[in-house]
Amino acid sequence: MNEIRIDKFLADRTKYSRSEVKSFLKKGAVRADGAVINDPKQKINPDAQEITLNGKKIHGGAHIYLILNKPEGYLCATEDREHKTVLELVPDELRHKDMFPAGRLDIDSTGFVLVTDDGELAHQMLSPKHHVPKYYLVTLARPFEENYLQSLADGITLSDGTKCLPVQAKQISEKICLVCLHEGKYHQVKRMFASLGNHVEHLHRTAVGSLLLPPDLPFGGHLEIFHKDILQMLKAESFSVMCEQIMSAFSSYLINDRR
Ligand code: URA
């Protein structure tokens, strides 16, 4: 990134307006490599200098990528009048106006949500052409039946006649299974199991592509990742390898549903 005015940089990279940024500058709350900056017109180079606001480092790279462990009750949206949004889980010093959740999880679903300001990546992740696989631990109301595996592999027809792509699945316990989706229709997992005569009680997204939700990330927590991790994420791994990784990483979740 080239040199840029400090007030513009902070207004672009944080949730604060230019006038709020100006008052932070006046108060001496902004530093470049440790030295206080007061002048909003001063130019800085975010790639070469460490910029802090109230002591917190402001990310200067081209794009930001955060994995969130979404708790129940949060909406995958940038704003909403009624509900809390996943952007409220992003700490102030990392939050800025161009961020959005790449993909949706229902308000009552939990787990892996990527929040970014990289529109191109989001398009790649969500486009049917690339179909980055998404893995869900599914808790059912009634026992998983063996015949589900074939029906899911053949492609379920939803109640409105929509045909789903084949889904790989593995039964993990009496009422818990792991499913891997290559598309993202509205309420897809819930509607697929409804078509099979069962009911989804809870969904936890554990992986996207070959990137696992860090199992020690608490609900509401975030982890900043980098472009190289995203490239890794987009390289799909086989279902059996992902199953093994997910089952070993989420063994405690499977034992005592941590919701
Ligand atoms: N399928 C659903 O039904 N809900 C989700 O949140 C994700 C996939």
Side-chain angles (χ1 to χ4, degrees), residues 81-99:
R81 280 165 183 236
E82 237 179 283
H83 299 104
K84 295 173 281 191
T85 74
V86 289
L87 285 194
E88 291 170 47
L89 299 170
V90 177
D92 286 353
E93 69 275 16
L94 290 174
R95 198 186 313 165
H96 71 89
K97 295 167 194 77
D98 300 331
M99 283 181 136

Side-chain angles (χ1 to χ4, degrees), residues 125-139:
M125 258 179 77
L126 304 174
S127 96
K129 205 171 104 207
H130 292 94
H131 51 71
V132 179
K134 301 186 181 68
Y135 293 82
Y136 298 89
L137 280 169
V138 184
T139 307

